[in-house]
Amino acid sequence: MTSTLPRPLPTCAPEFGPNLFASIMGTGIVATAAASLPLGFPGLRPAATLVWALAAVLLVVVSAMALTRLRRSSLEDPVMAQFWGAPPMALCTVGSGALLLGKDWIGLDAALAVDWTLWTVGTAMGLGTAIWVPVKMMTTQQVRESHTFAGWLMPVVPPMVSASGGALLVPHLPPDYRLTMVLGCYAMFGVSLFATLCLLPQIWQRLVLGRSDNVPTVWIVLGPLGQSITAANLLAGPAATVLPAPYGQAAVAFGLLYGVPTLGFALVWSAIAALLTGRAALRGLPFTLSWWSFTFPVGTVVTGASALFARVHSGLFAAVAGAGYVVLVGAWLTVAPRTLRYRRSLWGTTSTSTWTPALRWPRRSRRTRVPSATN
């Protein structure tokens, strides 16, 4: 028996698309978030390093697939094009994990080589998507009001991820280049922050007036919020040493004074997203690759709270980081197995319309006719 569903966002399209890189982001953040948790337990770091290795393998496999399977239609689709922000974030996440965790297995020199390579490529790609995707939306793409969704943040978040990763690399640079790196990272922080501030009102309006036909993507809003807290506080460390007085200490103060209010808004948005997701789940929430939105954005809130704890040792930040990490791991354990079962999307297809399993949670799975993203 078949049924016809309303046209979904192309996150569940059967074609191989850039959205598959979100699985690498979600896996990588499970590892990197563990590296900075205020509270640890025996075996956490080796387990996190193993997860990082898994993310690295996924990056190699998916990147190889992308060279032959990505279709030009994903460049022109006004929704799928947003997910071109996922590849650069996946690169930077795995690169940071190499420096934070992978060095235990491959050594510091090799970890730095991996991180520098992935960070450089990811940063170049991320700056490209932050410019190219909005320009395409403003010129050649047929964008309608109904296309507005939280995924619009995807192409503008990568510079913020690069700012966080760049902060980790500053101590490994020659002293003469550290100031340039710090200033460049703050500039990328601004690129992502102000683009996010432009987009959030549109996303809020869409949720209130137009509703959302892909609830999991609502969690994407946590991405720039949590990542900006992380970046502001990670940059504060090297900024305090390379910026002249009084700007160095101002950077430290900015990390805290920006991070705490932003964390508060992130927690409120988490509650809103959780209620919307719970409401949708009660009616049967079909599995798509957009479920990876439950992972990486939540992980950035964990890293943000951990960065605030490192700045001010408050039990509040430790509790948020710990609870958030439990949610993150639970989400990853939920989404990862379903992605493997969703192998038609994982391995791609050349047809414009195909049969794919609609995995519903908590209801039993059934086969559903899914329209093509290009129709």
Side-chain angles (χ1 to χ4, degrees):
M1 179 180 294
T2 62
S3 61
T4 301
L5 295 177
R7 181 184 185 275
L9 292 177
T11 46
C12 62
E15 297 177 356
F16 181 94
N19 52 342
L20 190 54
F21 282 87
S23 63
I24 304 167
M25 296 164 53
T27 302
I29 199 69
V30 172
T32 56
S36 59
L37 275 179
L39 303 175
F41 55 86
L44 176 61
R45 186 173 180 87
T49 307
L50 181 63
V51 174
W52 165 79
L54 174 61
V57 171
L58 284 173
L59 179 62
V60 173
V61 173
V62 175
S63 297
M65 292 168 60
L67 295 176
T68 57
R69 304 252 181 148
L70 277 177
R71 298 169 64 91
R72 186 175 179 80
S73 59
S74 66
L75 302 174
E76 301 299 332
D77 190 283
V79 179
M80 181 60 77
Q82 308 302 321
F83 292 94
W84 278 95
M89 286 191 282
L91 290 168
C92 290
T93 301
V94 173
S96 295
L99 189 57
L100 292 171
L101 297 164
K103 63 182 180 182
D104 295 349
W105 288 6
I106 63 177
L108 179 59
D109 291 341
L112 280 172
V114 170
D115 195 8
W116 272 115
T117 301
L118 296 182
W119 182 86
T120 302
V121 176
T123 297
M125 291 180 61
L127 289 173
T129 63
I131 298 171
W132 171 73
V133 174
V135 168
K136 292 287 287 184
M137 295 173 68
M138 298 171 186
T139 54
T140 62
Q141 290 179 352
Q142 301 298 316
V143 181
R144 298 188 296 272
E145 183 180 357
S146 60
H147 290 147
T148 305
F149 75 121
W152 280 15
L153 294 167
M154 289 289 289
V156 301
V157 176
M160 190 70 78
V161 179
S162 293
S164 299
L168 298 175
L169 289 168
V170 171
H172 301 282
L173 279 170
D176 293 343
Y177 296 96
R178 293 177 183 177
L179 176 59
T180 301
M181 183 69 158
V182 168
L183 295 177
C185 288
Y186 271 116
M188 289 189 289
F189 176 94
V191 169
S192 186
L193 175 63
F194 289 109
T196 298
L197 293 177
C198 291
L199 293 170
L200 274 179
Q202 300 177 62
I203 296 169
W204 185 285
Q205 183 179 34
R206 171 65 178 166
L207 288 172
V208 173
L209 300 181
R211 306 297 189 267
S212 173
D213 51 359
N214 197 328
V215 170
T217 61
V218 175
W219 291 86
I220 293 176
V221 174
L222 294 178
L225 297 177
Q227 197 66 55
S228 64
I229 301 171
T230 305
N233 284 277
L234 289 181
L235 284 170
T241 61
V242 302
L243 293 179
Y247 305 111
Q249 290 304 310
V252 175
F254 172 75
L256 179 66
L257 298 179
Y258 169 83
V260 175
T262 305
L263 180 63
F265 180 69
L267 294 177
V268 169
W269 190 274
S270 298
I272 293 174
L275 290 173
L276 291 176
T277 303
R279 186 170 182 268
L282 291 175
R283 295 179 295 178
L285 185 61
F287 175 80
T288 70
L289 291 179
S290 66
W291 276 33
W292 283 101
S293 302
F294 298 142
T295 58
F296 186 83
V298 174
T300 66
V301 176
V302 175
T303 59
S306 297
L308 285 172
F309 178 83
R311 191 65 51 198
V312 179
H313 296 286
S314 169
L316 172 64
F317 301 140
V320 171
Y325 192 73
V326 171
V327 173
L328 170 62
V329 172
W332 186 81
L333 292 175
T334 299
V335 179
R338 283 171 168 78
T339 302
L340 294 177
R341 292 166 59 189
Y342 198 58
R343 57 185 176 271
R344 286 292 184 92
S345 285
L346 183 62
W347 297 111
T349 181
T350 57
S351 64
T352 57
S353 182
T354 188
W355 294 92
T356 57
L359 306 180
R360 293 182 178 273
W361 174 72
R363 298 180 183 177
R364 185 177 179 180
S365 304
R366 62 178 181 176
R367 296 177 67 84
T368 303
R369 184 76 170 180
V370 179
S372 168
T374 58
N375 290 343

